[in-house]
Amino acid sequence: MKALEEAFQDAKRRFVYQPLARSAKLDRYRTVPFDIVVKTFSDHRMAFDPNDFMGRTLMDQGHWQRDDLDWVVERLGSGPRGRVFLDVGAHVGTQSVYALIGGAFDRAIAIEPMTDNIETIRLNALLNDLPITVVPSAAGAEAGRLPFNPDPQNSGGGSLHHSLRGQRGADIEVEVERVDTILDRLAVEPAEIGLVWIDVEGFERQVLAGMPALLEARVPLFIEVLDHLYSPDDFAALKRLLGNYRCAVTRDGSTELQTVRHFSGDILFL
């Protein structure tokens, strides 16, 4: 049995990993100026920085919020819906990869402003042979450029929120586009989007303000709402933007949106 396992591992090295390492498509990533590893999980490969918060979680738990995505897909059911997964604040593309390898969606659009993360999303798409369209910008209410504050301990924790600017070191300027403009450019209709996944560290209201066509179509939204960054006026504006949605659903059940005074955490809006 041991000899069989050794032969199997040798075959993997010879016919999978060595050809992959020699791939011309991957050659340009050999000089990428940041530290990443490529780890093989049960049904996919993932490139990531093992030293930051998300990377350590991936190494420890074997996934990054994949259980949340599985729960959302189960909650959406098998009825007719769009087959495009829209990943806003995509980080290194974990959710886009999970959405596609699970078969719930046919393609993904990943919106991400950080250069290192953008390159890692492209690498993850290549490693898993997945149709992920990468949009190298942030999403917001208006097109332009805004200061973005990276988190040195968490490559997915950077934010455009005004209260965090300059808090964790020097800001950088990033391009900002409206989601509706991005979809128009890609010739993607709201009806083609099956789920919008938003993780933008306090910039949720501005992202939603830039996607009125999707809100009007009531495309399902899964949003990490960081309520501690919201003023009462900001929170009221967020609720108005979500006014067409029936409910806010969490793992604990569902709450009619009209009766919610405040909500926080990871929430599915239908």
Side-chain angles (χ1 to χ4, degrees):
M1 197 68 180
K2 182 178 179 181
L4 182 62
E5 174 63 21
E6 289 176 350
F8 175 70
Q9 294 299 332
D10 181 64
K12 282 206 316 187
R13 282 191 295 273
R14 291 172 57 198
F15 299 112
V16 178
Y17 298 130
Q18 289 176 4
L20 184 64
R22 292 193 297 267
S23 169
K25 289 183 178 179
L26 291 177
D27 189 63
R28 68 191 179 99
Y29 290 100
R30 293 177 184 170
T31 58
V32 171
F34 54 96
D35 295 325
I36 61 171
V37 298
V38 176
K39 183 172 174 58
T40 300
F41 296 95
S42 61
D43 56 357
H44 66 286
R45 298 186 187 96
M46 192 71 72
F48 58 93
D49 181 349
N51 300 306
D52 74 2
F53 175 72
M54 188 279 288
R56 292 193 301 272
T57 302
L58 260 177
M59 296 293 287
D60 182 49
Q61 299 183 9
H63 69 92
W64 175 258
Q65 297 184 331
R66 187 172 184 176
D67 51 347
D68 287 334
L69 181 60
D70 290 343
W71 174 80
V72 170
V73 169
E74 181 181 1
R75 181 65 177 79
L76 293 177
S78 58
R81 55 178 165 80
R83 300 289 296 177
V84 179
F85 178 78
L86 180 57
D87 196 356
V88 183
H91 191 201
V92 299
T94 52
Q95 304 311 312
S96 289
V97 170
Y98 298 151
L100 298 184
I101 62 174
F105 300 91
D106 295 332
R107 58 177 290 213
I109 299 169
I111 301 173
E112 169 61 40
M114 293 291 291
T115 301
D116 289 356
N117 292 342
I118 290 164
E119 290 301 308
T120 310
I121 298 170
R122 289 174 174 151
L123 178 55
N124 281 325
L126 182 60
L127 286 168
N128 296 284
D129 192 24
L130 296 174
I132 301 174
T133 300
V134 181
V135 179
S137 71
E142 300 293 342
R145 293 181 66 84
L146 286 175
F148 180 94
N149 189 245
D151 184 343
Q153 304 301 318
N154 178 8
S155 57
S159 179
L160 286 160
H161 194 275
H162 62 86
S163 70
L164 296 178
R165 292 174 187 166
Q167 293 297 305
R168 300 167 295 200
D171 292 340
I172 60 173
E173 276 205 342
V174 298
E175 293 289 338
V176 180
E177 292 189 88
R178 290 165 58 88
V179 169
D180 280 1
T181 302
I182 292 169
L183 296 183
D184 284 345
R185 184 172 69 247
L186 297 176
V188 175
E189 298 292 330
E192 297 178 70
I193 305 293
L195 176 65
V196 184
W197 190 279
I198 301 175
D199 187 352
V200 291
E201 305 298 318
F203 210 61
E204 300 85 26
R205 179 178 63 81
Q206 292 87 342
V207 170
L208 293 172
M211 47 186 280
L214 292 180
L215 298 183
E216 181 65 26
R218 211 164 76 186
V219 175
L221 312 169
F222 187 76
I223 310 175
E224 181 191 44
V225 179
L226 299 182
D227 65 319
H228 65 279
L229 295 177
Y230 280 80
S231 68
D233 288 344
D234 280 342
F235 191 76
L238 180 67
K239 287 183 66 176
R240 286 195 297 271
L241 287 167
L242 293 167
N244 285 334
Y245 285 79
R246 291 176 309 186
C247 55
V249 182
T250 70
R251 286 175 183 254
D252 297 326
S254 115
T255 306
E256 292 300 320
L257 185 60
Q258 291 82 354
T259 65
V260 172
R261 292 186 59 195
H262 219 66
F263 46 81
S264 179
D266 297 329
I267 304 171
L268 175 62
F269 294 96
L270 297 172

